[in-house]
Amino acid sequence: MAGREKTGKSYHAALASASALIGRTFWIGFGEKDPDEYGAIPGAEFEIVEYDGTLASLQQVARAVVTQPPVDGRPNLIIVDSGTLIWETLRDKATWLAQQRHQAQNRTGEAPVGMDLWNKVTAEWNQLLRTLRSHNGPVIITARMDTVTVMDNKGKPTTAKTEKVKGHRNLAYDVDAIIEMPVRGKATLTGARSVVHKLPERMDIDDFDTKGIDWLWRSLGLDKHAAARAQYTEAAPVDE
């Protein structure tokens, strides 16, 4: 869920907790204010995961949350707010480590961030994504958007501008669907993977403020998958 400031991405993440498809909802905040105000949304119900706000603790709470059992056969929802700030903190960590190494070598001036440090922080990001992908249920990662200059095929800037999701460069490839909200009231689905329904590569979502994430989950077949899983569980033999 990517958008500019005040476009409603956190609101819709909280609203998703009201879906009948969802059991419990765990809200993992990183760098953003607590979402207490969204508790006033009709039907919204989520648990704010408390931790010390560090990257190490973030990894720990993510591993703990994905192990929580479903509720009455309904999967839990995990909300991570925000993916942009997580990656920016990791990027700053690489810069800080480079500076520390620079000083330890009695060098002055700006410290270059070596590939070993980029690999280190990227590994931390990938570890978090692997943990979230292991969750047997939906995960919403919020991200910020920014306007960037379009480059030509020779790598030179053009006069054209486009909206880009701010975060790790592979974030768009690591998720199953992206909803962009460049302005409040406008939402565009930019690619979605589903074994049940084939959705357009890019599609404006009319009346998204009413449809919400619940509409997307049902369009991707989550409701049918949940029903099939419940039926299988009910029919499964029980050891005596």
Side-chain angles (χ1 to χ4, degrees):
M1 177 77 68
R4 287 185 171 274
E5 186 179 5
K6 308 301 182 184
T7 57
K9 54 186 181 295
S10 297
Y11 169 87
H12 278 287
L15 180 61
S17 69
S19 171
L21 302 174
I22 296 301
R24 298 167 68 187
T25 296
F26 300 96
W27 190 293
I28 304 176
F30 188 93
E32 298 283 6
K33 68 176 184 178
D34 286 341
D36 303 82
E37 60 190 280
Y38 298 121
I41 298 173
E45 185 176 350
F46 49 85
E47 303 168 48
I48 299 175
V49 180
E50 296 184 357
Y51 68 109
D52 63 10
T54 63
L55 290 168
S57 293
L58 174 66
Q59 299 281 6
Q60 294 174 359
V61 297
R63 289 193 293 269
V65 166
V66 300
T67 63
Q68 298 303 306
V71 178
D72 297 328
R74 295 174 296 161
N76 297 324
L77 166 63
I78 300 175
I79 299 171
V80 179
D81 184 36
S82 110
T84 297
L85 295 183
I86 293 171
W87 174 245
E88 288 182 348
T89 302
L90 285 167
R91 185 188 60 195
D92 292 344
K93 177 180 178 179
T95 301
W96 181 82
L97 290 172
Q99 188 64 41
Q100 293 299 304
R101 183 162 62 187
H102 208 57
Q103 293 175 356
Q105 296 171 345
N106 296 319
R107 297 182 180 182
T108 59
E110 184 176 351
V113 181
M115 186 58 65
D116 61 323
L117 296 180
W118 285 124
N119 289 341
K120 176 180 175 62
V121 297
T122 297
E124 290 188 51
W125 170 261
N126 290 336
Q127 180 183 357
L128 176 62
L129 265 290
R130 283 195 298 271
T131 299
L132 296 174
R133 282 198 295 265
S134 72
H135 174 54
N136 189 22
V139 178
I140 296 175
I141 302 176
T142 69
R144 298 179 180 183
M145 296 187 70
D146 198 9
T147 303
V148 297
T149 299
V150 176
M151 311 298 284
D152 63 20
N153 54 10
K154 294 182 180 179
K156 296 182 178 180
T158 68
T159 58
K161 303 289 184 180
T162 187
E163 297 292 323
K164 182 180 179 181
V165 177
K166 296 179 66 177
H168 187 272
R169 60 185 180 183
N170 290 334
L171 177 57
Y173 302 97
D174 290 329
V175 297
D176 293 315
I178 304 169
I179 294 179
E180 296 182 356
M181 303 179 67
V183 296
R184 193 169 189 88
K186 181 180 180 181
T188 302
L189 179 66
T190 60
R193 293 192 289 263
S194 172
V195 297
V196 179
H197 295 291
K198 185 176 182 180
L199 298 176
E201 182 176 345
R202 187 175 183 88
M203 178 180 66
D204 290 335
I205 307 174
D206 296 329
D207 197 21
F208 183 66
D209 282 347
T210 300
K211 293 178 178 178
I213 299 293
D214 180 81
W215 165 85
L216 176 62
W217 286 334
R218 295 178 189 276
S219 298
L220 294 174
L222 181 62
D223 54 334
K224 296 179 177 59
H225 175 71
R229 180 173 54 190
Q231 184 178 12
Y232 173 80
T233 302
E234 184 178 343
V238 178
D239 294 332
E240 296 184 0

